Amino acid sequence: EAGVAQSPRYKIIEKRQSVAFWCNPISGHATLYWYQQILGQGPKLLIQFQNNGVVDDSQLPKDRFSAERLKGVDSTLKIQPAKLEDSAVYLCASSLVTSGANVLTFGAGSRLTVL
Amino acid sequence: QKEVEQDPGPLSVPEGAIVSLNCTYSNSAFQYFMWYRQYSRKGPELLMYTYSSGNKEDGRFTAQVDKSSKYISLFIRDSQPSDSATYLCALRASGGGADGLTFGKGTHLIIQP
């Protein structure tokens, strides 16, 4: 089974620029998550999709962050304009079901550095 | 008080030692308790999960949950250098809908050969 694919792996931008990250979840996984992991911290949930609908985006800074999941498969997370504090690893995860333990499979992440 | 507290370490132990990693939490709604392992520059991968209180064993790993104390532990027996990684506890309340995991900060573990 192929894993969760993310790109780009690394991105360096200046503050106030924009950036987009792409995620391809495991085939058949209906639920997709974007997490932000700041250095030395645990991952923090930004947004959860069920198929192509948003289930939870309560912690997404909507003034600068946006995400979409077209056709219920791939997803894109965008930051515009970026701030210094957005420097982090952006992790995409997917899961097959959302009951019980709801095991998440994570991608390797996209590391963003904002200068 | 944060929802999940975890000592970030680093925790350095010699090869072969028994390792104890712990988290405390404040939200009694959490029902599912997971441990993820994260190697440098990789995404977290699930090690173990338990439901409610009790113990669960898988090879050299044992997960323990004490809901009355809101305390969870992961024990690693016969630790190996390949166990060197960051260990994240992750908790989830029961029920469907919005169910993203709440993570601890992670404990950086170093096993010295």
Side-chain angles (χ1 to χ4, degrees), chain A residues 15-81:
Chain A
K15 61 182 178 183
R16 291 187 290 275
Q17 287 186 323
S18 63
V19 63
F21 302 113
W22 171 84
C23 173
N24 179 240
I26 291 173
S27 178
H29 280 196
T31 309
L32 185 148
Y33 309 79
W34 283 101
Y35 282 84
Q36 179 193 57
Q37 187 174 25
I38 293 172
L39 185 66
Q41 303 286 324
K44 182 185 85 171
L45 178 67
L46 292 176
I47 189 167
Q48 175 187 346
F49 291 95
Q50 180 77 17
N51 295 307
N52 60 351
V54 175
V55 176
D56 182 5
D57 63 356
S58 57
Q59 298 191 85
L60 186 74
K62 298 181 184 65
D63 57 335
R64 298 183 300 105
F65 286 64
S66 65
E68 60 182 7
R69 190 182 185 196
L70 299 176
K71 301 180 181 178
V73 181
D74 293 3
S75 178
T76 303
L77 176 70
K78 296 179 181 177
I79 307 174
Q80 181 180 15

Side-chain angles (χ1 to χ4, degrees), chain A residues 9-10 33 35 37 40-43 45 48 55-56 91 98-104 106-108 111, chain B residues 2 32 34 36 38 41-46 49 88 92 95-101 103-106:
Chain A
R9 286 297 312 277
Y10 304 93
Y33 309 79
Y35 282 84
Q37 187 174 25
Q41 303 286 324
L45 178 67
Q48 175 187 346
V55 176
D56 182 5
L91 294 162
T98 56
S99 61
N102 187 29
V103 176
L104 272 63
F106 284 85
R111 182 177 298 269
Chain B
K2 292 189 176 180
Y32 295 92
M34 282 147 265
Y36 279 79
Q38 186 173 26
R41 300 188 182 275
K42 301 286 187 182
E45 57 176 338
L46 181 69
Y49 74 85
L88 297 151
R92 175 177 174 262
D99 57 3
L101 299 177
F103 283 87
K105 281 187 174 183

